[in-house]
């Protein structure tokens, strides 16, 4: 079988273009039907009000709100699909932007140096006795760092919530995980009323700033 591609005839090219235009027109007509127009207007009004208040919006949130609007209007056959949201986004010149945050690259030379050192340090240990542990901050009241917004809109947000807990993850090379260590700001939070912290599925510790300390790490 020859590997050469067959050139399309002029008629075949015309047929492809006509089929594409018909499908595109069909999509546009479906979007602009009374049901689509009503949902589009209410969804757009909600979107504008939310962005005026600085609320961060995601695709799933937009779809959920669109579905809620359709149910309010008693449109039972509206699915609030990702395709509909994409057409809505393009129609109103809406894009997805990062609100804040910067990425910092890692020096490849430093990575190579650490890997060589680690290989030497762990060579006499079995895999079950080689652990990797790292702590991370969980800002459980933080808003999204990306949002759907108008292309012309400057993307800023209100002061971010600093409420957080610190979580230590630890696992060995065999894949065996230690119980999560969670550090909060109080020894007995109100949310733990009538709960024995020793029965939690995590190890609970606390200090004034919910940070990892040398004392907690040593323990």
């Amino acid at each position: 079988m020859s590997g050469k591609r067959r050139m399309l005839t002029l008629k075949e090219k015309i047929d492809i273009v006509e089929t594409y235009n018909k499908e595109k027109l069909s999509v546009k007509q479906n979007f602009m039907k009374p049901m689509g127009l009503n949902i589009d207007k209410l969804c757009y009004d909600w979107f504008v009000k939310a962005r005026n208040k600085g609320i961060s919006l995601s695709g799933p949130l937009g779809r959920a709100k669109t579905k809620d609007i359709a149910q309010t209007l008693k449109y039972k056959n509206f699915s609030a699909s990702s395709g509909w949201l994409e057409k809505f986004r393009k129609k109103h010149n809406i894009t997805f932007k990062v609100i804040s945050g910067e990425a910092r690259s890692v020096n490849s030379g430093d990575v190579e140096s650490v890997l060589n050192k680690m290989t030497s340090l762990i060579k006499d240990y079995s895999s079950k006795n080689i652990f990797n542990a790292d702590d991370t901050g969980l800002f459980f009241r933080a808003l999204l760092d990306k949002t759907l917004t108008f292309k012309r809109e400057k993307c800023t947000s209100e002061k971010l919530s600093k409420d957080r807990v610190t979580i230590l993850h630890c696992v060995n090379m065999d894949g065996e995980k230690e119980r999560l260590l969670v550090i909060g700001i109080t020894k007995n939070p109100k949310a733990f009323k009538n709960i024995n912290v020793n029965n939690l599925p995590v190890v609970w510790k606390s200090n004034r700033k919910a940070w990892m300390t040398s004392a907690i790490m040593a323990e």
Side-chain angles (χ1 to χ4, degrees), residues 139-143 158-164:
F139 293 84
F140 56 89
R141 289 182 177 171
L143 298 175
E158 301 295 328
K159 185 177 180 181
L160 297 178
S161 171
K162 298 297 184 181
D163 293 341
R164 60 169 279 166

Side-chain angles (χ1 to χ4, degrees), residues 2 15 32 43 47-48 57 67 71 81 99 107 113 120-122 132 140 168 172 178 186 189 203-204 209:
S2 175
D15 289 341
M32 298 309 291
C43 191
F47 184 87
V48 172
L57 303 173
K67 189 172 183 179
Q71 291 176 346
S81 66
I99 297 173
N107 188 301
S113 175
S120 174
L121 288 173
I122 67 177
N132 183 32
F140 56 89
L168 178 74
N172 68 12
E178 295 292 306
T186 57
V203 178
W204 179 263
K209 292 187 176 181

Side-chain angles (χ1 to χ4, degrees), residues 186-198:
T186 57
K187 185 176 181 180
N188 294 297
K190 292 181 179 179
F192 289 179
K193 185 179 180 181
N194 300 323
I195 294 178
N196 185 343
V197 295
N198 294 322

Side-chain angles (χ1 to χ4, degrees), residues 150-166:
F150 295 110
K151 289 184 179 180
R152 64 181 181 276
E153 181 183 356
K154 185 177 180 180
C155 201
T156 58
S157 69
E158 301 295 328
K159 185 177 180 181
L160 297 178
S161 171
K162 298 297 184 181
D163 293 341
R164 60 169 279 166
V165 293
T166 294

Side-chain angles (χ1 to χ4, degrees), residues 21-217:
N21 288 335
K22 287 179 181 178
E23 291 178 351
K24 186 176 180 181
L25 179 61
S26 176
V27 170
K28 184 176 181 180
Q29 288 175 339
N30 290 334
F31 188 77
M32 298 309 291
K33 285 181 178 179
M35 180 179 72
L37 285 172
N38 293 335
I39 296 175
D40 175 80
K41 181 181 183 304
L42 292 177
C43 191
Y44 180 78
D45 290 343
W46 165 78
F47 184 87
V48 172
K49 290 177 182 177
R51 289 306 302 148
N52 285 339
K53 293 179 181 179
I55 297 174
S56 299
L57 303 173
S58 65
L61 180 60
R63 289 178 61 190
K65 182 61 180 180
T66 304
K67 189 172 183 179
D68 182 61
I69 290 173
Q71 291 176 346
T72 301
L73 295 174
K74 298 182 179 180
Y75 293 146
K76 297 181 180 180
N77 297 325
F78 185 78
S79 62
S81 66
S82 56
W84 191 93
L85 183 64
E86 180 68 11
K87 291 191 283 287
F88 172 83
R89 186 182 67 79
K90 289 181 178 179
K91 178 185 176 183
H92 296 292
N93 205 27
I94 294 169
T95 188
F96 205 57
K97 292 182 180 179
V98 175
I99 297 173
S100 62
E102 296 180 355
R104 187 177 67 176
S105 60
V106 178
N107 188 301
S108 58
D110 292 340
V111 174
E112 190 69 25
S113 175
V114 171
L115 288 176
N116 291 334
K117 184 177 180 180
M118 288 301 300
T119 301
S120 174
L121 288 173
I122 67 177
K123 63 183 178 63
D124 296 326
Y125 293 88
S126 63
S127 58
K128 69 177 181 179
N129 290 324
I130 300 173
F131 287 84
N132 183 32
D134 197 7
D135 62 332
T136 182
L138 173 61
F139 293 84
F140 56 89
R141 289 182 177 171
L143 298 175
L144 299 171
D145 63 351
K146 295 181 179 179
T147 182
L148 290 168
T149 184
F150 295 110
K151 289 184 179 180
R152 64 181 181 276
E153 181 183 356
K154 185 177 180 180
C155 201
T156 58
S157 69
E158 301 295 328
K159 185 177 180 181
L160 297 178
S161 171
K162 298 297 184 181
D163 293 341
R164 60 169 279 166
V165 293
T166 294
I167 303 175
L168 178 74
H169 303 262
C170 184
V171 62
N172 68 12
M173 288 186 69
D174 286 344
E176 297 172 345
K177 300 176 183 178
E178 295 292 306
R179 252 202 321 172
L180 290 178
L181 170 66
V182 181
I183 307 171
I185 60 173
T186 57
K187 185 176 181 180
N188 294 297
K190 292 181 179 179
F192 289 179
K193 185 179 180 181
N194 300 323
I195 294 178
N196 185 343
V197 295
N198 294 322
N199 294 332
L200 292 174
V202 301
V203 178
W204 179 263
K205 297 294 180 180
S206 63
N207 62 62
R208 188 169 59 87
K209 292 187 176 181
W211 287 349
M212 173 62 73
T213 65
S214 58
I216 293 176
M217 193 65 187

